[in-house]
Amino acid sequence: MTYSEIALRLDQDRIWEHLIYLSKLDKLSGSPAARQASTYILQQLKQIGLPCHEEQFEEFLSNPITSCLTLSDGTVISSRPRSFSANRPEGVTGELVFDPHCLDKQPDLVQWEAQLESFRGKIVVGHGFDERYIKRLERHGVLGLIQVWESGERGIHEDTASGVWGTPTQDSSLLLPTIPIAGISGGDGQALIQRLESQRLEATLQVQVETGVFPVTMPVADIPGRTGEFVLLSCHYDTWFLGATDNCAANAAAIEMARCFWEHREELERGVRIVWWTGHSNGRYAGSTWYCDHHWLQLHTHCVAHITADLLGNRGANREGIHTTGAEGRKFFLETAAAAAPGTEVDFFSIGRGADQSFWGTGIPFHFYSRSVCRPEEKQTATPGPGTPWWHTAEDTLDKVDPTVLARDARMFYLSAYRLAAERRLPFALEEYFSQTVQTLEDCAKHCDVCFDFAPVLDQVASLWAAVRQAAEDCQEEDTRWNRLVRMVCGTMNRLKQSYGSAYDQDLAFSASGLFPRLCCVKDKRRETMGAEEYLFLSTDFIRQKNRMIDELTILTNKIQSF
């Protein structure tokens, strides 16, 4: 059977039927409607006899209730509380100040720290969405934060302010926000900033959130293959409001994919496990993190790929965007797109930290997701994916889903997963993968202070590359050995490239510096623009990650040489 014929197994009418049902429910995690959606998904799976079950557990969630921003002249600006904001229904009152440095990619930290100190006892207005920025403000005694959206659409996008990924631990719980935080639209924000340029304004910020422990459910489908290995497919089923594109469309596609995998299970070399995450929106990826915690050993031993789906089928999206670690190579996706989405242009992106990417520590060799996007110049807003104004708002309704775009996205999701599950030999674009890795490190080395020496890391990467190249040649004709090599190399490299901490824990959700976080965070940093403390903290991060990289790369190289 051709790839095109396999992709066309998906029944678009079935997908649309599921989408109509799910997009009528306001499915915030922990709510009755979320439970109803979980029950519906399980019912669809059970009707066809597919092995499935429901995970039941507790999550630490934060539900935005209401907020009110009232200026001293009586003006009320429409706002929405941030998930995990401090709960301050009684409000805080203080002078409003605008932080002009919060949008600077490389601010002069000495000047910035001095200005932040001048904000003590005041309410800051700014574009700062980095959770680390919130902790900076807290350190300087700021009373509250008004987050101004970067583009000018009228709607206010729901979002979270927590820097903790998933359920907090005893230590990370101390990093939850302690000040009230609310978001306002870009238009209202710019108008407010202009007023602050010419007059002094005070305001009262009231924020009400419901934060605590809630019982949740999570549907799981398990289609066996010929071996004990499996491909993990995922999509969050909880939503802000009705969430037709985010993420009902992906949920509906996954239900139909489960049917197709089940009906053609005799073709599968590896099993397919599909999980519909809870806790994505108001739990900072709590569902996928819980699943990683409680199935870590199984994922580490048997899972070959994590493929997630988010923001499928958006109206106006006209090209396919592939977000990947790059291990499988561009050829894999171009072949898949030619069959699943013929004639569609394909853009490639390095996969970032977000969208339930909670599995870097498990050693899974392949991580990617695809969805329709548009050219940067065609984006309507600063929202992710295709840049739609309805993202994370009550306007994300069924009419925002384009059936043709959803069909294309669903076929890409299905066929890329099918290939990894059905084909015995795992794809691995060795030269492309290592070239990109070296390019990332060399680029960082060229654009940082001379005191940050990347040479030992680059030398060890070169040694590893040579060892992997030789091992790949030696096992070229042996699929079993080849697959073991791919899992060993890519599983370890993904962890080193995408995380900085323990394999059994989750890094913080602070905005990172792309690949090799806490190592490449020195890019574009100069000692003369940093305070003594900031420089010392940064250099400490760097040396610890440098030691980690050299040691782990050496260990991996030795394993490959004796492979």
Side-chain angles (χ1 to χ4, degrees):
M1 247 186 139
T2 66
Y3 286 154
S4 297
E5 292 171 328
I6 293 169
L8 289 173
R9 287 172 175 171
L10 294 180
D11 186 329
Q12 304 309 319
D13 291 337
R14 290 176 186 264
I15 293 176
W16 199 257
E17 180 182 338
H18 299 316
L19 176 58
I20 290 174
Y21 180 88
L22 292 170
S23 62
K24 293 177 181 178
L25 303 174
D26 190 335
K27 302 169 292 301
L28 202 60
S29 296
S31 68
R35 181 60 190 263
Q36 184 178 344
S38 179
T39 299
Y40 173 84
I41 293 168
L42 283 169
Q43 287 174 342
Q44 302 309 305
L45 302 175
K46 290 176 179 177
Q47 283 177 7
I48 60 174
L50 193 157
C52 60
H53 67 279
E54 186 177 63
E55 300 276 14
Q56 300 182 9
F57 53 100
E58 292 181 324
E59 288 181 335
F60 185 67
L61 304 174
S62 182
N63 303 324
I65 306 299
T66 187
S67 61
C68 184
L69 176 60
T70 307
L71 305 187
S72 50
D73 63 3
T75 302
V76 176
I77 298 177
S78 181
S79 65
R80 283 292 297 161
R82 293 308 188 204
S83 178
F84 291 107
S85 161
N87 185 44
R88 295 291 184 272
E90 73 283 3
V92 295
T93 300
E95 181 184 353
L96 288 176
V97 288
F98 172 60
D99 181 5
H101 293 293
C102 59
L103 276 181
D104 294 346
K105 292 184 178 180
Q106 298 298 332
D108 185 310
L109 293 176
V110 176
Q111 294 181 10
W112 193 23
E113 284 291 311
Q115 181 157 48
L116 290 178
E117 182 58 30
S118 72
F119 295 159
R120 186 174 295 275
K122 301 174 183 178
I123 299 173
V124 171
V125 178
H127 298 276
F129 286 84
D130 177 1
E131 294 79 5
R132 186 184 286 108
Y133 176 65
I134 295 170
K135 306 313 288 184
R136 282 184 180 274
L137 296 180
E138 291 174 358
R139 187 173 68 184
H140 288 280
V142 164
L143 293 180
L145 171 62
I146 309 299
Q147 292 182 329
V148 178
W149 194 251
E150 294 177 27
S151 47
E153 63 273 21
R154 294 176 58 186
I156 302 174
H157 306 284
E158 299 290 323
D159 212 343
T160 182
S162 173
V164 179
W165 191 284
T167 299
T169 63
Q170 296 177 84
D171 290 342
S172 65
S173 65
L174 302 177
L175 297 174
L176 293 168
T178 61
I179 59 174
I181 306 163
I184 63 177
S185 71
D188 285 344
Q190 289 305 315
L192 178 58
I193 292 168
Q194 289 177 5
R195 289 190 65 183
L196 292 176
E197 291 175 351
S198 60
Q199 64 184 118
R200 183 181 182 276
L201 286 172
E202 287 195 350
T204 297
L205 173 63
Q206 297 167 283
V207 170
Q208 185 178 359
V209 295
E210 182 186 28
T211 301
V213 177
F214 298 83
V216 296
T217 57
M218 201 156 66
V220 181
D222 227 332
I223 301 108
R226 286 186 289 273
T227 70
E229 293 183 332
F230 65 91
V231 174
L232 175 63
L233 309 183
S234 73
C235 49
H236 69 88
Y237 80 90
D238 64 312
T239 59
W240 293 118
F241 308 105
L242 300 179
T245 67
D246 188 11
N247 201 30
C248 296
N251 302 158
I255 296 171
E256 172 61 7
M257 286 168 57
R259 183 189 68 83
C260 291
F261 278 122
W262 177 242
E263 289 188 359
H264 300 277
R265 56 191 178 277
E266 74 282 352
E267 300 173 9
L268 302 180
E269 175 74 12
R270 302 172 184 86
V272 174
R273 182 173 301 176
I274 307 177
V275 188
W276 287 260
W277 305 128
T278 181
H280 170 99
S281 303
N282 58 336
R284 195 59 163 173
Y285 316 123
S288 56
T289 300
W290 180 92
Y291 197 83
C292 182
D293 290 340
H294 289 81
H295 298 274
W296 193 96
L297 291 172
Q298 189 181 45
L299 292 163
H300 177 66
T301 306
H302 299 293
C303 187
V304 302
H306 175 223
I307 310 171
T308 194
D310 204 349
L311 295 174
L312 303 190
N314 270 282
R315 200 176 68 199
N318 53 25
R319 38 200 305 121
E320 201 66 29
I322 309 296
H323 299 252
T324 175
T325 59
E328 60 291 300
R330 295 193 172 195
K331 180 183 176 183
F332 174 88
F333 290 110
L334 292 174
E335 290 173 346
T336 302
T344 303
E345 294 186 51
V346 178
D347 295 326
F348 289 91
F349 307 91
S350 177
I351 196 167
R353 183 139 165 81
D356 287 297
Q357 301 299 329
S358 303
F359 302 95
W360 299 119
T362 60
I364 297 173
F366 300 101
H367 300 254
F368 61 82
Y369 63 91
S370 63
R371 63 186 178 208
S372 286
V373 295
C374 58
R375 291 182 176 86
E377 63 272 16
E378 296 174 336
K379 288 187 70 169
Q380 303 173 53
T381 74
T383 62
T388 57
W390 50 82
W391 176 79
H392 284 196
T393 74
E395 302 303 313
D396 187 5
T397 47
L398 185 62
D399 59 303
K400 306 308 187 302
V401 181
D402 184 323
T404 302
V405 176
L406 175 56
R408 182 178 67 218
D409 284 347
R411 290 194 301 267
M412 281 292 296
F413 188 20
Y414 175 63
L415 185 57
S416 58
Y418 177 89
R419 293 185 62 185
L420 287 174
E423 295 172 5
R424 178 171 174 77
R425 188 182 181 90
L426 293 173
F428 181 31
L430 188 160
E431 300 298 327
E432 183 180 323
Y433 183 69
F434 273 96
S435 294
Q436 292 171 351
T437 301
V438 170
Q439 182 179 353
T440 297
L441 292 169
E442 288 181 340
D443 181 63
C444 188
K446 292 176 182 176
H447 298 90
C448 67
D449 199 283
V450 293
C451 60
F452 299 116
D453 183 12
F454 279 79
V457 176
L458 285 163
D459 288 345
Q460 195 54 54
V461 171
S463 297
L464 173 63
W465 190 353
V468 174
R469 184 185 289 122
Q470 183 60 57
E473 291 178 6
D474 293 343
C475 63
Q476 191 65 236
E477 306 301 321
E478 303 175 56
D479 287 348
T480 299
R481 287 191 68 212
W482 171 272
N483 290 345
R484 282 176 50 215
L485 176 67
V486 172
R487 293 196 61 180
M488 186 188 307
V489 174
C490 297
T492 302
M493 289 301 293
N494 286 340
R495 177 169 56 82
L496 294 178
K497 293 171 73 172
Q498 300 283 351
S499 70
Y500 61 82
S502 166
Y504 314 100
D505 202 350
Q506 295 290 334
D507 291 354
L508 294 174
F510 293 161
S511 295
S513 54
L515 298 179
F516 301 104
R518 302 289 174 88
L519 181 78
C520 286
C521 63
V522 301
K523 184 177 179 180
D524 296 324
K525 297 290 180 21
R526 305 295 174 186
R527 186 169 187 171
E528 60 269 19
T529 64
M530 304 178 71
E533 290 182 1
E534 290 284 350
Y535 172 76
L536 179 60
F537 300 159
L538 180 70
S539 59
T540 300
D541 263 337
F542 177 80
I543 191 60
R544 290 177 182 175
Q545 288 303 306
K546 180 179 174 180
N547 292 338
R548 171 181 181 248
M549 288 292 299
I550 294 171
D551 181 49
E552 296 225 30
L553 289 171
T554 301
I555 292 171
L556 180 58
T557 302
N558 291 337
K559 286 182 180 179
I560 299 302
Q561 289 173 339
S562 59
F563 178 71

